[in-house]
Amino acid sequence: MKSTVAVRVLSWLARLPAPVADSIGRGLGRWVHRKGSRNQRRTQTNLALCFPDMPLQDRLVLERDSLTDLGEKAARLARVWVLGGDNPDQLQDPVELGAWNEAIEAGEGLLLLVPHIGNWELLGSWVAEHGVLNAMYRPARLEGVDELILNGRVAQGYQMHPTNVKGVAGLLKSLKKGEIVAVLPDQEPDVEGGEFAPFFGVPALTMTLAHKLAAKQPQARVFVAAAIRIAPRDYQVMLHPIEGFGELDTLSGLTQMNQAIEALVRRYPEQYQWEYKRFQTRPDGQPSPY
């Protein structure tokens, strides 16, 4: 029942006129903020951890803006899954394409680190225009929503891999073939799949998958990538190359990766998904902040 309702709501939002859908999404986000939901409490906790020197009133404004953006994002992501190429949201090329074009021409693989900021689904459609795009996929909790997302990504040209050993092997094989591999690097992994590295100065259990892939294919070019909203209907691709990522030891590599993500988030903090339990697992058995 929940799955059916969720799919109908997302499909309805996707087909509404974009300004109307976005307005409904923003209203939902503001309601989540006022209601004092789990998402609101997690956002509040994460902002306090990451911006301890920010005046409280400024943090409260950022909290509200982030959750408002989260509600709007639901409509915008749904448009990518449901409408595909008919999506009214426009995506502009990066200001500087030199490093990207060189990486494509080299044909030695591209590893994209795609944090949860802006519209990562719209970014995927742009990346897939430049080569074979591979990503791992963890099924959504609701079966119908899972099917909606998966079908939308496959329609964009994604090659999907399971979140297991076979999937990791598939990503590495694709990278060695010179294809593009995208990894979402800012969700907390299982303990065996991560190590602690600083994120906004706070030890965060950080996935090691991206660094392991880069270490096994050091010729691959590595970028932090995002599609950032710059106007109501316009996004722009942001690319930040990371040099020598796979040649560093694990802690140095994870620190470098987190610093690059942090720099992007600091520029557009209201577009980041702060409601994740990013700091759930603490070093030395310390209690969770959530």
Side-chain angles (χ1 to χ4, degrees):
M1 181 63 179
K2 287 183 179 179
S3 178
T4 301
V5 171
V7 170
R8 286 178 178 174
V9 169
L10 288 171
S11 299
W12 172 70
L13 278 175
R15 292 185 171 90
L16 284 174
V20 175
D22 292 347
S23 179
I24 291 172
R26 288 192 297 271
L28 177 62
R30 287 191 290 268
W31 176 78
V32 168
H33 177 251
R34 291 192 302 269
K35 183 175 179 290
S37 66
R38 285 180 296 177
N39 284 341
Q40 183 269 336
R41 293 193 296 273
R42 291 172 189 167
T43 298
Q44 188 175 75
T45 298
N46 285 335
L47 291 178
L49 287 169
C50 294
F51 297 102
D53 298 326
M54 181 183 288
L56 176 59
Q57 188 57 41
D58 292 347
R59 279 212 312 268
L60 292 175
V61 170
L62 178 53
E63 176 190 314
R64 180 202 64 199
D65 291 347
S66 171
L67 290 167
T68 300
D69 179 80
L70 178 64
E72 183 183 72
K73 201 188 304 284
R76 291 173 179 259
L77 296 178
R79 286 201 286 271
V80 179
W81 300 324
V82 175
L83 300 181
D86 295 327
N87 187 351
D89 296 325
Q90 300 299 308
L91 186 58
Q92 301 179 21
D93 286 342
V95 173
E96 174 54 59
L97 268 170
W100 174 264
N101 287 336
E102 288 177 8
I104 294 290
E105 292 170 6
E108 295 178 327
L110 276 81
L111 178 59
L112 299 186
L113 310 175
V114 184
H116 289 82
I117 189 170
N119 191 329
W120 53 89
E121 297 291 349
L122 195 60
L123 174 70
S125 64
W126 182 86
V127 173
E129 294 175 359
H130 295 81
V132 180
L133 173 58
N134 298 266
M136 299 186 88
Y137 181 68
R138 178 177 295 172
R141 293 179 181 178
L142 300 178
E143 183 177 349
V145 174
D146 177 69
E147 184 176 356
L148 179 72
I149 296 172
L150 190 57
N151 288 344
R153 289 178 177 174
V154 170
Q156 291 179 67
Y158 281 67
Q159 301 291 322
M160 304 307 301
H161 301 262
T163 53
N164 54 28
V165 174
K166 182 178 179 181
V168 172
L171 292 185
L172 181 59
K173 181 178 179 181
S174 300
L175 199 60
K176 289 184 174 181
K177 286 167 58 180
E179 296 177 355
I180 304 170
V181 169
V183 175
L184 303 175
D186 57 338
Q187 284 182 302
E188 187 176 273
D190 297 333
V191 174
E192 59 270 19
E195 292 189 17
F196 284 99
F199 184 56
F200 283 86
V202 182
L205 187 62
T206 302
M207 69 161 58
T208 55
L209 171 62
H211 184 260
K212 288 178 178 177
L213 291 172
K216 291 182 178 180
Q217 181 64 7
Q219 301 94 332
R221 313 297 174 89
V222 183
F223 295 84
V224 170
I228 298 296
R229 189 181 68 255
I230 56 174
R233 295 267 71 78
D234 290 333
Y235 287 80
Q236 185 170 58
V237 176
M238 306 283 183
L239 295 173
H240 175 76
I242 297 185
E243 303 293 340
F245 181 54
E247 299 170 2
L248 297 172
D249 63 82
T250 301
L251 178 58
S252 297
L254 298 187
T255 299
Q256 181 189 44
M257 179 177 75
N258 282 354
Q259 287 176 340
I261 295 169
E262 179 181 331
L264 180 63
V265 173
R266 285 186 181 276
R267 290 177 64 189
Y268 308 98
E270 73 285 350
Q271 295 191 46
Y272 189 61
Q273 282 202 262
W274 291 103
E275 83 280 4
Y276 285 126
K277 290 183 177 180
R278 186 64 189 90
F279 305 103
Q280 170 73 7
T281 304
R282 310 309 309 132
D284 303 323
Q286 299 171 18
S288 166
Y290 304 107

